Amino acid sequence: VQLQASGGGLVQAGGSLRLSCKAPRMILSVFNTKDLAWYRQTPGKERELVASINSDRITNYADSVKGRFTISRNNGERRVYLQMNSLKPEDTGVYYCHAGALDSNDEKWGQGTQVTVSS
């Protein structure tokens, strides 16, 4: 596994979780140039982009999470984070971190971490 995700769990609606993803084997200079993102997969739906951050730290969010989620990166630690506040049951799913251009030869995926929000 190139990327290692953690931080998922079970939380009540309105609660918060912080996801973390690290790339321990990626050369630092390479990591610094990578676009990083979090996707989520829910049953019956296609994998969707939740948030992304590029090498200039420009961020992008799905409309459904704007104002509630914050993506950030720590290049020195080769990590990307997703702070999730005001969680809703519809945020339930498996969250995957991603590095690189989507569908490119050098893209990397994490193993997924389960987030469950109870009502």
Side-chain angles (χ1 to χ4, degrees), residues 16-80:
S16 297
L17 284 173
R18 189 191 195 204
L19 305 183
S20 175
C21 177
K22 63 180 179 180
R25 299 187 183 88
M26 194 174 293
I27 297 171
L28 183 58
S29 59
V30 172
F31 183 86
N32 292 347
T33 67
K34 294 292 186 183
D35 293 344
L36 305 171
W38 288 94
Y39 288 78
R40 69 184 174 197
Q41 179 84 57
T42 56
K45 293 185 178 181
E46 293 185 357
R47 188 176 296 184
E48 64 171 337
L49 175 67
V50 176
S52 65
I53 183 168
N54 68 10
S55 58
D56 292 324
R57 301 179 187 271
I58 296 173
T59 58
N60 180 53
Y61 297 93
D63 287 343
S64 60
V65 307
K66 282 180 181 176
R68 300 188 296 121
F69 290 11
T70 302
I71 188 170
S72 60
R73 62 191 295 162
N74 184 322
N75 287 344
E77 294 185 1
R78 299 180 183 85
R79 286 185 181 269
V80 59

Side-chain angles (χ1 to χ4, degrees), residues 2 4 38 40 82 114:
Q2 298 288 337
Q4 300 172 0
W38 288 94
R40 69 184 174 197
L82 185 67
Q114 175 71 44

